[in-house]
Structure formats: C-alpha cells, structure tokens
Amino acid sequence: MPVPRRRHGRSRQGKDRSQKQIKAVNTVPCETCGQQKLAHRVCQNCGEYKKTKVKKVETKS
Ligand SMILES: [Zn+2]
C-alpha cells in the first residue's frame, strides 16, 4: 500500500506555524476603578461588573 511522504509541503507547514504563536489577551480599563481587566468579565480589583457590585473583594490590610 502506498504511503505519502509528508502530509503538507514546507510552504503550508510555515503558514500553519505562523498562526501558532501566543497572542496577548484583550484587556479593557474597568469603568469603576480604572484597572485593566479582561473584557466581559468581573473586575478582580473592585468586584464590579457594569457598575454593579457582583463579588466581594477582600482587601489586604
Ligand atoms: Zn474595577
């Protein structure tokens, strides 16, 4: 039974690898405290989402 020598050519291999790098996550400033946070997520600094308190945040004292 014949066996292919390689799956893809070098050109296609390079195109595949060009998309493989790690990309930076998208952050937006929090509306309440201004700290950078993940988009569409609760702020880890103040625990608010769309200016409403969602989560209790422990403050270091
Ligand atoms: Zn915040």
Side-chain angles (χ1 to χ4, degrees):
M1 200 180 144
V3 176
R5 286 190 183 157
R6 58 160 88 97
R7 284 172 186 239
H8 307 305
R10 283 175 201 175
S11 171
R12 188 164 163 190
Q13 186 184 59
K15 282 175 196 165
D16 285 345
R17 286 178 185 172
S18 74
Q19 299 300 315
K20 226 182 158 185
Q21 81 277 34
I22 296 166
K23 284 156 194 153
V25 290
N26 187 36
T27 56
V28 290
C30 174
E31 285 183 15
T32 313
C33 66
Q35 189 114 137
Q36 288 290 312
K37 66 173 193 72
L38 291 168
H40 313 291
R41 298 290 194 288
V42 175
C43 177
Q44 296 295 306
N45 189 48
C46 62
E48 293 195 14
Y49 184 71
K50 289 197 169 181
K51 302 222 172 183
T52 48
K53 204 85 181 168
V54 178
K55 191 182 139 201
K56 273 187 187 172
V57 178
E58 288 176 34
T59 49
K60 286 174 188 173
S61 58

